Amino acid sequence: MTGYRLTAVETVLEEGSWAFTAREGDADREVFLVPCADEPDGGVDEADGGVDEPDGGVDEADGGVDEPDGGVDEADGGVDEPDGGGDGQPVRAWINRCTHEDQRLHREEVGAVTRGGSVVCPKHGSAFDACEGSCDTGEAAGTTLRSIDIAVRDGAVFLTDDDLTYLYDGLPDDDGDDDGPASSSHLTF
């Protein structure tokens, strides 16, 4: 399996999210990566330095990689195969738009707002599961973010989606918003 190397898993985990721009057909698409944590508190486990091992974090016993859930697996040449939902990968990739309204979920100034294992829309407070992309709260309830195929190899994240061609790190300067979102959410950040 090949793909374009985007960034290190460690970078996504440390920054909380990471974005890039890609081409799909004639249109540019904004994509963001977020950590996927199975724990309701966002995956922070003080016993292992803040990384949730079951979803691909650091495990000293096997050289720093948790094989069953997103690490290096010698049987397949060190590739964590994408399988639609990306089960077991320590990060996920999503199109950078809320399903309720054309609103960025990841903004260059602050990244993606995450809380309790969810990505929160800054405009209306809809919360999308960081691992599954599904939303069960807010204006976008009952919808799912569009996923982008990625693979994790040797601690790096690769774009493997055949429909997208990597253009550059980060987002375009202008997303069509005036001065950012006018929040009508009861949530504060």
Side-chain angles (χ1 to χ4, degrees):
M1 170 185 297
T2 61
Y4 184 85
R5 185 188 186 284
L6 297 168
T7 189
V9 170
E10 182 177 330
T11 299
V12 179
L13 297 177
E14 287 177 0
E15 294 181 12
S17 64
W18 188 88
F20 68 97
T21 302
R23 174 69 53 136
E24 180 178 44
D26 294 333
D28 289 355
R29 301 284 184 229
E30 298 175 13
V31 180
F32 71 104
L33 306 173
V34 289
C36 175
D38 294 330
E39 292 182 11
D41 67 357
V44 176
D45 182 356
E46 299 303 323
D48 64 5
V51 177
D52 183 28
E53 291 180 22
D55 66 17
V58 176
D59 183 358
E60 299 303 322
D62 65 2
V65 177
D66 185 26
E67 288 186 22
D69 297 325
V72 175
D73 183 356
E74 299 305 323
D76 66 5
V79 176
D80 182 26
E81 299 287 340
D83 56 5
D87 288 338
Q89 291 186 161
V91 297
R92 299 293 192 278
W94 307 107
I95 291 291
N96 191 26
R97 289 289 182 242
C98 179
T99 56
H100 165 244
E101 204 171 278
D102 191 24
Q103 173 69 45
R104 278 181 170 161
L105 298 171
H106 178 284
R107 301 181 74 76
E108 286 295 339
E109 311 83 49
V110 296
V113 175
T114 57
R115 190 171 277 149
S118 294
V119 176
V120 180
C121 177
K123 188 158 187 176
H124 293 111
S126 295
F128 297 89
D129 183 278
C131 299
E132 302 298 323
S134 58
C135 178
D136 60 6
T137 62
E139 299 289 330
T143 65
T144 303
L145 295 174
R146 179 175 158 209
S147 67
I148 300 301
D149 293 335
I150 58 171
V152 174
R153 294 189 300 261
D154 300 324
V157 182
F158 291 82
L159 175 63
T160 58
D161 198 301
D162 292 335
D163 295 331
L164 295 177
T165 303
Y166 172 86
L167 293 177
Y168 54 88
D169 290 3
L171 305 175
D173 290 333
D174 179 25
D175 74 352
D177 288 345
D178 294 335
D179 293 317
S183 179
S184 61
S185 170
H186 65 283
L187 301 174
T188 56
F189 302 108

